[in-house]
Amino acid sequence: FMTQLSLLLILLCVSGLVPRSAAFVFWTAWLKTDYYQSSNDTVSKSCECGVYGRNSEVAEFSGFVAVPKGDPTGCSPYTSYDRNSSQEWIALVKRGNCTFSEKINAAMHQGAAGVVVYNVDDTGNSTTYMSHPGTGDAIAIMIGNIQGTEIANSVKNGTVVHMSVHVGNPHGPLMDTYWLYFLSIAFFIVTAASIAYFVFISANRLYSMSRHRRTEKRLKSEAKKAIRRLEVITLKRGDELTTSDAMCAVCIESYKAGEVVTVLTCDHVFHKACIEPWLLERRTCPMCKCDILKALGVEEDVKDDMSTSSPPEVTVITVTGGDALYEVPLNEPMSHEPEQQQHRYDNRAFVEDSEAPRG
């Protein structure tokens, strides 16, 4: 149960963290840039130096690079690009002067296959995770200022530049190594705590069961001592028990001459073969629940809660000829006997251990 609870807690924690962390997971982009020089030489550069926009489709795109005429930020919806309309092209614009969404929508309206935004001056090759809502299915990435300025200047100087953009790797809290370490450590801590708790509960239950068995064994030993001190009688023809309608409350059978009966400390009589197994397990009179261990002064070695071993709450009924004479709930003293009789010490059952029982 604890293991299942721990797993549920882990799932709840992770399910709460994922939605919060999903917004911070971003994808990098691989850029392959080919510079076609006038001398027919081609210079190629590649790096994982781009970052897909937060609202961009994470997909590949390629084309010849075109820069805006005039304003390098390409903010105006009427911005024109020096490009070959028959070829796939990519808009290269500078960050600033307007929102990312405005410059991306302007370039996509002109037919660009994708938009590459390079950062502002004096930022080196650092990038940011740009947000551009309202750009539909546009594909946009950001690159650093140094790289973007170099490409833009090459295009302005007449160099043909072709760019291919490929999907890189995901990054963010759930992807970073430290976060995976944290989740792994948390999982192992919770698992170890669950196992430790399970071991503790199991050991405690085993100890309780072992103590209960030892207590039962001791009490049975004490009950055997007490049973040996009870008065045992062999019934004879003409005895009161054989001539009356009395019955053994355990087996509900009448007493007959020659049968051996046991007289308890409360003066209730039962067949010896019926009452001894009962007393070994319950140590109380079936009729009035008199505790024979207390009545006989036999000390218990261990005081323990024996509620699990108590006899079920039943009603003992003695009948004659189908008519009920009386019924005695075991959780109450008999109505026709005073309660103090449960602890009588002046009856014939108290004989010395050295005396042989009559019979």
Side-chain angles (χ1 to χ4, degrees), residues 55-74:
N55 306 100
S56 171
E57 286 193 13
V58 181
E60 298 180 356
F61 64 100
S62 62
F64 291 95
V65 178
V67 295
K69 294 180 179 179
D71 182 10
T73 61

Side-chain angles (χ1 to χ4, degrees), residues 340-356:
Q340 59 267 26
Q341 270 205 322
Q342 294 185 11
H343 302 287
R344 286 181 55 186
Y345 299 99
D346 56 353
N347 57 71
R348 295 176 300 169
F350 288 88
V351 295
E352 295 296 331
D353 291 337
S354 58
E355 296 181 15

Side-chain angles (χ1 to χ4, degrees), residues 194-215:
S194 301
I195 294 175
Y197 182 80
F198 175 77
V199 171
F200 171 77
I201 292 298
S202 300
N204 186 59
R205 287 183 178 178
L206 290 175
Y207 173 75
S208 298
M209 292 173 61
S210 176
R211 185 176 61 179
H212 182 77
R213 284 194 295 266
R214 290 196 302 268
T215 302

Side-chain angles (χ1 to χ4, degrees), residues 259-274:
E259 292 181 334
V260 180
V261 297
T262 298
V263 182
L264 302 189
T265 58
C266 54
D267 285 340
H268 289 127
V269 182
F270 306 91
H271 287 125
K272 184 175 184 296
C274 297

Side-chain angles (χ1 to χ4, degrees), residues 29 45 75 80 96 110 123 135 161 183 186 205 252 258 278 285 288 323 354 356 359:
K45 298 181 180 181
C75 288
S80 61
Q110 296 292 330
T123 57
T135 54
V161 180
L183 288 180
R205 287 183 178 178
I252 318 299
W278 176 284
C285 173
C288 63
D323 297 325
S354 58

Side-chain angles (χ1 to χ4, degrees), residues 24-43:
F24 298 101
V25 175
F26 60 91
W27 290 81
T28 58
W30 278 93
L31 272 68
K32 182 177 182 298
T33 309
D34 297 319
Y35 298 85
Y36 297 97
Q37 307 288 352
S38 57
S39 59
N40 293 327
D41 293 332
T42 303
V43 178

Side-chain angles (χ1 to χ4, degrees), residues 82-99:
D82 188 7
R83 59 185 175 80
N84 188 334
S85 59
S86 63
Q87 297 174 327
E88 289 286 334
W89 64 282
I90 295 174
L92 177 65
V93 295
K94 188 176 183 179
R95 180 182 182 181
N97 292 344
C98 60
T99 65

Side-chain angles (χ1 to χ4, degrees), residues 138-160:
I139 307 175
I141 66 170
M142 174 174 275
I143 60 176
N145 175 264
I146 296 176
Q147 183 182 19
T149 302
E150 177 187 345
I151 298 174
N153 290 336
S154 297
V155 173
K156 290 177 183 178
N157 293 332
T159 301
V160 177

